[in-house]
């Protein structure tokens, strides 16, 4: 018997690869912000489809689309009012199907955000729940007669929400929410909620998408006497979702968004004895701020220590790592002192702060220093996990701290130096957000067209690095070995997968540095620099000396040393 999922499974341009996500380079793109096909000032699915050739040229393997569902847009679409509908200004379900087919034709997969934890207060489920407490949707949300229950649960949006409870004047009870007050949490103790969410997931899987980024999964359940995070019931529900996905939708991936410490996040991969039975991927949130911290302190230890603290994960699972995304640069997974340090270094203007984080893009965070941008990108592409690029960072787009909430990092993609940055043909006043007109980051200076023509641009450099990563399976599949070394400003590590061995050496200091690394396991090999193919001195018994320019880095392939025929391998001194 052929199921709907088998009929609609993505086939065109895609091979059967259960572990495709391990080697993939992801690209987060806001439908609203990428390209406007109909001149209404808002990006849409047809516009995104028109730009797929650019993304294929860049080397992207998988697109991640934040919510494009029907929504009142009080939280950038994360306040969903219909899980199975497309916001009309973005297009229709048919537009989405056409876009998905076009992406698959180019060998590009697509995952979409799914907001598991909550809905908009405009969702029909909430309207029914508040007006008819005894009806079929009466238990779809968490209701209480007062706002004193669950006092141990932290308030996440501390700068906007005084409580996790909001009074509803119609039902005359309080509803529970972990985020904005207009986003009530679903009650996963209700069988109806579980069935409704699974049905919505299946709707999109049947259309042929390649997976989901599951938003805010640690908060699905709440229990008295707990902080309402990472509860056993949450893991049980995820196991149920994974079982159905693996059974009916092969090659699809579940990416977990859990902003937690690595020892807590690793539980979201599931039971390691069966290779993982919850999410295939999870974001490694603590790595990101520590890259910024390490470079500003010119010390490898923030990165080395968090990597040392990171547990092993099941073999068929993978971390997702990123530098920036559509949210603020979150500082939840750092100490109070580290947070104050990051704010002092990277958010000197109060407008740059948001919640417990920094609402800035990569290039402005690094003061448009091309050497730092390249170093950060090299770390993103070489540390363990699948990298996620944020749209526009490949050309060094800037932000606009004068816009509200997190809109400063969600401005239109800058394609050309022409009207509206080539994003839209509309009157500039109709744009969903103004294009960046800064003298440094403005679209007249920073755009795809000019950087495409300039082969020494950041765009061309990023493309070369992406393709280098894709050519070396060690980056996506290999082990990670921190080499330590004599210089605390230099982070050296080896990624190894079979015969593919890559030595990555990164100078976190703005000044030139020398480092001695213990490479004796590869004695006799002659490293080859990946970008230019230059041969470096042969590795010997002594510490291997490398010198690096300020914020410089090397990717060096270490070939396997072949023993001459008939000559036994050296056994060392007797």
């Amino acid at each position: 018997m052929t199921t709907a999922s088998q009929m609609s499974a993505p086939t065109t341009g895609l091979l059967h690869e259960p572990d495709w996500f391990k080697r993939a380079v992801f690209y987060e793109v806001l439908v609203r912000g990428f390209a406007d096909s109909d001149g209404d000032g808002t990006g849409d699915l047809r516009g995104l489809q028109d730009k797929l050739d650019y993304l294929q040229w860049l080397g992207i393997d998988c697109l991640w689309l934040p919510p494009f569902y029907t929504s009142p847009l009080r939280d950038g679409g994360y306040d969903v009012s219909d899980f199975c509908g497309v916001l009309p200004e973005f297009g229709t379900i048919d537009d989405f199907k056409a876009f998905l087919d076009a992406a698959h034709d180019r060998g590009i997969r697509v995952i979409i955000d799914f907001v598991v934890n909550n809905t908009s207060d405009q969702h029909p489920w909430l309207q029914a729940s508040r007006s008819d407490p005894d009806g079929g949707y009466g238990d779809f949300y968490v209701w209480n007669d007062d706002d004193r229950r669950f006092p141990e649960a932290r308030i996440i949006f501390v700068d906007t929400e005084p409580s996790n409870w909001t009074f509803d004047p119609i039902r005359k009870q309080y509803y529970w929410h972990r985020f904005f007050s207009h986003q009530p949490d679903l009650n996963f103790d209700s069988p109806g909620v579980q069935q409704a969410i699974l049905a919505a997931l299946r709707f999109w899987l049947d259309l042929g998408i390649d997976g989901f980024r599951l938003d805010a999964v640690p908060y699905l359940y709440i229990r008295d006497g707990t902080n309402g995070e990472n509860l056993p019931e949450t893991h049980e529900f995820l196991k149920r979702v994974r079982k159905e996905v693996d059974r009916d939708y092969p090659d699809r991936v579940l990416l977990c968004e859990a902003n937690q410490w690595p020892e807590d996040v690793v539980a979201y991969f599931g039971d390691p004895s069966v290779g993982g039975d919850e999410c295939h991927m999870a974001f490694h949130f603590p790595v990101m701020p520590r890259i910024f911290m390490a470079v500003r302190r010119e010390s490898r230890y923030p990165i080395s220590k968090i990597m040392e603290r990171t547990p092993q994960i099941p073999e068929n699972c993978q971390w997702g790592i990123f530098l920036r995304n559509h949210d603020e640069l979150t500082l939840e997974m750092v100490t109070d002192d580290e947070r104050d340090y990051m704010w002092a270094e990277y958010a000197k203007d109060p407008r740059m702060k948001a919640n417990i984080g920094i609402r800035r893009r990569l290039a402005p965070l690094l003061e448009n220093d091309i050497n730092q941008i390249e170093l950060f990108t090299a770390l993103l592409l070489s540390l363990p996990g699948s990298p996620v690029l944020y749209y526009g960072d490949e050309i060094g787009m800037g932000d606009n701290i004068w816009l509200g909430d997190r809109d400063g990092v969600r401005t239109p993609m800058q394609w050309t130096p022409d009207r509206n940055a080539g994003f839209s043909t509309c009157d500039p006043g109709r744009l969903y957000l103004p294009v960046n007109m800064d003298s440094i980051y403005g679209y007249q200076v920073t755009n795809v067209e000019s950087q495409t023509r300039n082969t020494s641009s950041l765009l061309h450099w990023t493309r070369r690095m992406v393709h280098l990563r894709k050519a070396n399976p060690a980056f996506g599949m290999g082990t990670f070995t921190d080499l330590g070394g004599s210089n605390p400003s230099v982070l050296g590590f080896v990624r190894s997968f079979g015969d593919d061995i890559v030595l990555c050496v990164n100078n976190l200091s703005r000044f030139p540095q020398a480092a001695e690394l213990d490479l004796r396991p590869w004695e006799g090999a002659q490293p080859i620099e990946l970008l230019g193919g230059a041969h470096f001195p042969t590795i010997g018994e002594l510490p291997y000396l490398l010198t690096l320019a300020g914020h410089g880095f090397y990717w060096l392939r270490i070939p396997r040393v072949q023993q001459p025929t008939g000559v036994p391998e050296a056994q060392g001194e007797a």
Side-chain angles (χ1 to χ4, degrees):
M1 178 178 177
T2 302
T3 66
S5 60
Q6 291 170 328
M7 293 172 59
S8 59
T11 54
T12 308
L14 299 177
L15 300 175
H16 173 66
E17 295 179 89
D19 291 339
W20 63 266
F21 56 90
K22 287 189 175 184
R23 295 186 60 178
V25 175
F26 290 75
Y27 186 94
E28 182 191 2
V29 53
L30 302 178
V31 175
R32 174 184 297 276
F34 210 54
D36 172 20
S37 70
D38 56 8
D40 67 352
T42 297
D44 47 50
L45 290 164
R46 290 184 179 181
L48 180 56
Q49 180 178 336
D50 291 342
K51 299 299 185 181
L52 287 172
D53 287 341
Y54 164 76
L55 296 169
Q56 183 183 25
W57 172 84
L58 185 58
I60 301 305
D61 299 294
C62 183
L63 297 180
W64 157 27
L65 273 55
F68 52 88
Y69 312 105
T70 309
S71 166
L73 298 179
R74 295 185 64 187
D75 184 26
Y78 283 87
D79 48 330
V80 179
S81 58
D82 181 359
F83 285 113
C84 299
V86 174
L87 191 70
E89 60 196 71
F90 294 162
T92 64
I93 288 291
D94 287 338
D95 291 332
F96 180 82
K97 291 178 182 177
F99 153 73
L100 187 63
D101 289 343
H104 287 165
D105 287 344
R106 291 162 175 79
I108 299 174
R109 289 178 163 87
V110 177
I111 67 171
I112 65 176
D113 248 314
F114 194 91
V115 186
V116 192
N117 180 70
N118 49 262
T119 71
S120 164
D121 59 5
Q122 302 303 307
H123 199 291
W125 295 346
L126 183 78
Q127 300 307 312
S129 185
R130 66 199 304 219
S131 61
D132 185 7
D134 298 321
Y137 297 94
D139 67 345
F140 263 47
Y141 298 86
V142 180
W143 296 94
N144 202 52
D145 290 331
D146 59 50
D147 60 355
R148 294 189 294 272
R149 198 177 179 189
F150 311 134
E152 298 86 357
R154 64 191 172 109
I155 297 172
I156 295 172
F157 289 166
V158 293
D159 56 349
T160 57
E161 299 299 331
S163 170
N164 285 325
W165 292 100
T166 290
F167 184 73
D168 179 62
I170 296 178
R171 181 154 165 161
K172 293 182 170 50
Q173 283 184 303
Y174 292 85
Y175 62 75
W176 176 255
H177 56 87
R178 292 309 300 265
F179 299 101
F180 290 118
S181 58
H182 56 79
Q183 292 170 319
D185 278 24
L186 289 164
N187 174 24
F188 276 84
D189 285 316
S190 165
V193 166
Q194 295 188 26
Q195 291 295 341
I197 292 298
L198 286 167
L201 293 171
R202 283 183 170 276
F203 173 83
W204 294 104
L205 290 166
D206 285 340
L207 287 181
I209 66 156
D210 300 281
F212 296 100
R213 171 191 175 269
L214 300 177
D215 184 68
V217 291
Y219 315 106
L220 299 190
Y221 288 83
I222 184 72
R223 291 289 183 265
D224 291 307
T226 74
N227 66 358
E229 301 180 26
N230 309 316
L231 296 180
E233 295 89 341
T234 295
H235 293 288
E236 288 304 314
F237 179 71
L238 289 175
K239 290 179 191 294
R240 179 182 176 187
V241 173
R242 172 67 178 269
K243 184 178 180 180
E244 295 200 16
V245 169
D246 283 353
R247 183 187 66 219
D248 298 335
Y249 305 95
D251 292 4
R252 318 299 175 91
V253 64
L254 300 175
L255 169 56
C256 162
E257 189 230 11
N259 191 353
Q260 308 279 324
W261 293 107
E263 55 267 31
D264 294 324
V265 176
V266 74
Y268 287 94
F269 294 118
D271 185 353
S273 67
V274 295
D277 58 356
E278 292 186 33
C279 293
H280 305 78
M281 296 182 67
F283 281 122
H284 198 322
F285 276 91
V287 167
M288 176 267 298
R290 283 166 179 80
I291 295 175
F292 288 89
M293 200 179 303
V295 173
R296 191 54 60 95
R297 290 181 174 175
E298 303 190 347
S299 167
R300 69 172 183 260
Y301 294 115
I303 299 174
S304 294
K305 288 181 178 178
I306 199 66
M307 296 308 301
E308 183 180 357
R309 182 176 172 177
T310 301
Q312 289 291 319
I313 63 176
E315 189 173 340
N316 67 341
C317 295
Q318 178 73 306
W319 290 109
I321 59 174
F322 61 98
L323 296 173
R324 289 301 303 111
N325 59 22
H326 63 283
D327 284 332
E328 68 274 17
L329 191 163
T330 178
L331 300 176
E332 285 186 77
M333 294 300 109
V334 298
T335 66
D336 290 343
D337 288 343
E338 289 171 335
R339 184 179 304 117
D340 289 340
Y341 175 81
M342 288 288 289
W343 274 334
E345 292 293 328
Y346 289 106
K348 298 183 186 299
D349 189 314
R351 283 181 293 266
M352 298 174 182
K353 298 180 182 180
N355 299 317
I356 307 178
I358 303 170
R359 56 191 195 101
R360 303 213 71 192
R361 270 187 175 268
L362 180 64
L365 279 165
L366 305 181
E367 298 174 335
N368 210 33
D369 182 338
I370 189 65
N371 293 325
Q372 287 193 70
I373 295 172
E374 291 183 354
L375 173 63
F376 273 68
T377 305
L379 286 166
L380 171 70
L381 294 173
S382 59
L383 285 169
S386 295
V388 182
L389 299 172
Y390 186 49
Y391 84 99
D393 279 355
E394 72 271 22
I395 60 172
M397 266 179 63
D399 49 45
N400 185 346
I401 64 173
W402 299 95
L403 297 176
D405 193 24
R406 291 162 283 190
D407 285 343
V409 301
R410 301 175 181 180
T411 54
M413 181 67 175
Q414 295 167 196
W415 295 102
T416 72
D418 302 321
R419 176 188 178 98
N420 297 332
F423 165 79
S424 174
T425 58
C426 74
D427 183 276
R430 293 188 62 196
L431 291 174
Y432 77 96
L433 287 175
V435 293
N436 194 313
M437 294 182 283
D438 183 90
S439 59
I440 297 174
Y441 305 103
Y443 68 90
Q444 301 94 334
V445 178
T446 302
N447 59 74
V448 171
E449 180 183 280
S450 61
Q451 292 198 22
T452 302
R453 295 168 59 186
N454 177 10
T455 56
S456 62
S457 66
L458 175 61
L459 175 60
H460 273 278
W461 179 89
T462 302
R463 178 177 184 266
R464 286 195 296 273
M465 294 296 288
V466 166
H467 283 270
L468 266 181
R469 177 194 161 88
K470 288 156 65 82
N472 290 271
F475 288 124
M477 311 282 285
T479 59
F480 171 87
T481 305
D482 192 330
L483 295 174
S486 61
N487 189 333
S489 292
V490 176
L491 174 67
F493 54 86
V494 171
R495 305 299 313 278
S496 179
F497 181 74
D499 288 337
D500 188 32
I501 305 170
V502 182
L503 167 65
C504 303
V505 189
N506 306 272
N507 179 11
L508 307 178
S509 170
R510 62 194 185 279
F511 301 115
Q513 298 288 334
E516 292 180 324
L517 301 173
D518 183 0
L519 301 182
R520 284 177 295 176
W522 303 280
E523 185 177 342
Q526 187 176 26
I528 303 169
E529 201 275 328
L530 288 182
L531 273 169
H535 287 70
F536 275 48
T538 301
I539 298 169
E541 293 183 5
L542 297 176
Y544 196 78
L545 175 65
L546 284 170
T547 57
L548 301 98
H551 293 140
F553 71 93
Y554 291 124
W555 284 2
L556 302 169
R557 175 178 289 115
I558 302 180
R560 290 283 188 188
V561 177
Q562 301 295 326
Q563 295 292 330
T565 304
V567 178
E569 292 189 18
Q571 299 298 313
E573 295 183 4

